[in-house]
Amino acid sequence: MTDGPRDLHLEARGLHKRFGGLQAATDLSMRAQQGEVHAVIGPNGAGKTTLVHMLSGFLRPDSGSIVFGGDDITGLSAPGRVQRGLARSFQITSVFREFTVLENVVLPIQARQGHSFRFWQSAMRDPGLTGPARALLEEVGLGDRAATRAGHLAHGEQRQLEIAIALATNPSFLLLDEPMAGMGPEENRALIDFLGALKKTHGMLLIEHDLDAVFALADRITVLVYGRVIASGRPDEIRRNREVRTAYLGEAHA
Amino acid sequence: MRSQLTPAHAVATLLIVLCATIPYLAPALDEPFYVIVFARIMIWAIAAISLNLIMGFGGMISFGHAVYLGIGGYAVGILGFHDVTSAWIQLPIAIGLCALVALVFGVICLRTRGIYFIMITLALAQMVFFLSVSAERYGSDDGLNILWRSEFGSGLIDLEDGVVMYYTIFAVLLGCLLLQWRMVVSRFGMVLRASQSNDTRVQAIGIPTYRYRLAAFVIAGVMCGLAGFLQANLERFVSPDMMNWHRSGELILMTVLGGTATLFGPLVGAVVFLLLSETLSTITIHWHLVFGPFLILVVLFARGGVMGLLGSRTTRD
């Protein structure tokens, strides 16, 4: 469906979102380009995850629109967006814990092969599903863990699986919500390399607290504070930006 | 791959063999009463399997599932009352009605989760229950006698023959076990089980889960309606009691007792539940005082039910 790179960009236009008294997004606009890693950083509560929820279709913005590949997808459901090639991973690891690692990856592959109203044939004995699933697991380095229950994986491996599930939907664009959360420095470096390689074929929006990872990967950075974009630009521009330093980098790199 | 044999497999096999041979075993043991007991057990097992499909594998705890027993049963009762005894009319109407009701109820219930889902399924089922109570023409509370069992119009399936009746139930039970197994391992089952585990994630994979959950809800309703059809024929009687909320509760208990999300759990649960309540009630009229705490202990300490205790770990056992 979405094989190979296409010229797809993801754009938020004037998003507003309010939860009771909390303004989670105010006139939020940004544009993430195909073939780039676009990082979104900001202090806790800046509305980063809210942004991912809105882009992936799990939250409706109060106003504003979202454009993907030239089409307005604001009204499209979450599954509908994935079918168009816009996949996401979760900040809190959301693997299917009772499923094996292989089953975790078979499910998204089955999803991209069309509807699942097939009631008889065993999914796990279908080479059309398990073949691509095993290949993908090899690619992300979980090949020897295929038969393990996802709930029994180490934390770092679960984070890898989290990304593998998103990749298995065959997306052209990835929304990654803190993929490094809770990982050790060793695993961190491996994941940075892996995402760096993915950049050639996938557009990426990266939400991340680990600024070393952000500056290692990002081609463009948007800084959010209290649901507002306070700066957006190339990494060196962001580094130099005075407002960003006081609002965010100053705290972190004090 | 998973070829390890557990005691759970042995028990399941034993029960199937027992069900298959009871019509010959019971008279030989001079206990002919056991034929009707096992016929009832198998019908409850079919209903419990249907509940297990949505509750065990899909996480939809329906507290109104017995309503389909009632609908399936009343399809036989009411049509029979109007002298329509052909199974070829009764059966499609029972199935069609159950599917329609499950579809409508499902559309309403599946918008909710957790305790709200439980309460709404209960409320909707009670509506149908009170409808049957108020149907004076069809006996209200007193129920409706069925003079003639459903007629298939062929010499092969003559339900008036007790042995044929028994093996018809047995065949439907086997069919439901087989269907449950295939559905659980199929692509459909993958979606259903994953959505129980983490529905948000399944949607983030690109699968609109609602339609699959609704389909499972309808399939379970139809399967349970089949159990109602068989029950009405076996007992030659239908009454609102068939779809009382107690019955829905018992279905949940049986399934939990046997082991939810296991293939043979509902059958094992139905056997243990009915044999135990049968035995206990002959010992004391206060048998609920023993039975209730027993069920609580199983739920608290044997989370996988009987099948869990016997070593059944995967959903495929």
Side-chain angles (χ1 to χ4, degrees), chain A residues 87-106:
Chain A
R88 69 168 290 184
S89 73
F90 287 81
Q91 180 185 358
I92 298 161
T93 309
S94 297
V95 299
F96 302 106
R97 302 181 58 83
E98 302 82 11
F99 279 23
T100 65
V101 169
L102 187 64
E103 285 172 320
N104 264 278
V105 183
V106 158

Side-chain angles (χ1 to χ4, degrees), chain A residues 38-88:
Chain A
H38 191 124
V40 176
I41 61 173
N44 283 324
K48 302 186 295 290
T49 293
T50 301
L51 174 64
V52 172
H53 280 325
M54 288 192 289
L55 293 175
S56 58
F58 284 95
L59 270 180
R60 282 283 139 88
D62 297 334
S63 62
S65 60
I66 297 159
V67 175
F68 180 57
D71 298 324
D72 189 323
I73 58 164
T74 321
L76 204 61
S77 70
R81 294 182 201 202
V82 183
Q83 285 160 14
R84 289 214 180 186
L86 181 61
R88 69 168 290 184

